[in-house]
Amino acid sequence: MGLLIAKLKTIFAEAEEQQREVVFLCIGSDRYIGDSLGPLIGSMLLESGISHSVYGTLEEPVHAFNLKVALKDIHRQNSNPLVISIDASLGTKEQVGNVLFNEGPLVPGKALEKMLPEVGDYHFQGIVNYLDPFPSSQFLNDTRLHTVMKLAKLITEIIVDSDNEQ
């Protein structure tokens, strides 16, 4: 966790030097437990008083139907934004509960074969469930709330600790 906090601190500092505004884009829907990771994190980040902009909360989620509008809003309301996207993801059974952080855009809805725009300069993925023989929509319904909450708290803590230590 310490290495990830250090990496985020560096990203925040470089963004400030380049006069880029850091924006967190938390993707998902509160209508399915497995897809609620992003909006949970967005709400937790706002409650923490983070110094960066946050799009996608439990009250106003960013999901497949409004993602393009949200992206336009981000670019309209933020000067040269550096977008860090956050979304739930599916992995292997052994990966459930892991957090991935990578440079480059996130492809939301990929596991469910949705065609959505790639988003973010960096991205977090929380592995909330795994692929198995059930129909795709079943993954979102069979995800444990405990797993989603644990990941949401962990990712929020990483981001808040990175922001507070500036």
Side-chain angles (χ1 to χ4, degrees):
M1 196 163 102
L3 289 174
L4 188 47
I5 291 170
K7 174 72 174 166
L8 275 179
K9 285 174 58 177
T10 300
I11 290 167
F12 294 163
E14 288 173 358
E16 190 174 329
E17 286 173 19
Q18 298 167 4
Q19 297 182 332
R20 297 185 73 185
E21 295 180 36
V22 174
V23 174
F24 287 93
L25 175 59
C26 304
I27 301 166
S29 169
D30 62 342
R31 294 179 185 257
Y32 300 98
I33 290 172
D35 200 30
S36 64
L37 180 68
L40 272 168
I41 292 170
S43 292
M44 290 176 174
L45 288 174
L46 285 182
E47 289 169 8
S48 77
I50 191 164
S51 64
H52 305 289
S53 296
V54 176
Y55 290 78
T57 62
L58 290 171
E59 186 176 356
E60 294 182 33
V62 173
H63 45 67
F65 299 112
N66 66 0
L67 179 60
K68 290 178 183 175
V69 171
L71 289 171
K72 285 180 184 175
D73 286 347
I74 287 170
H75 288 280
R76 191 178 327 114
Q77 296 174 14
N78 298 278
S79 173
N80 192 18
L82 184 141
V83 178
I84 299 176
S85 52
I86 302 170
D87 198 6
S89 184
L90 300 174
T92 65
K93 195 171 190 174
E94 297 75 32
Q95 290 175 313
V96 173
N98 288 351
V99 172
L100 307 177
F101 180 76
N102 289 296
E103 187 170 356
L106 173 75
V107 184
K110 185 177 180 182
L112 301 179
E113 299 176 3
K114 292 184 180 179
M115 298 300 294
L116 298 171
E118 296 182 351
V119 291
D121 297 283
Y122 295 89
H123 66 273
F124 279 97
Q125 290 173 282
I127 311 296
V128 298
N129 212 337
Y130 60 93
L131 299 166
D132 72 18
F134 290 114
S136 294
S137 62
Q138 200 61 32
F139 301 122
L140 298 176
N141 296 326
D142 287 344
T143 300
R144 295 194 59 217
L145 178 59
H146 174 76
T147 302
V148 175
M149 287 300 295
K150 189 174 168 184
L151 283 164
K153 288 176 183 176
L154 176 60
I155 293 171
T156 300
E157 181 182 341
I158 290 167
I159 293 168
V160 169
D161 286 354
S162 302
D163 190 47
N164 288 339
E165 295 181 18
Q166 286 252 330

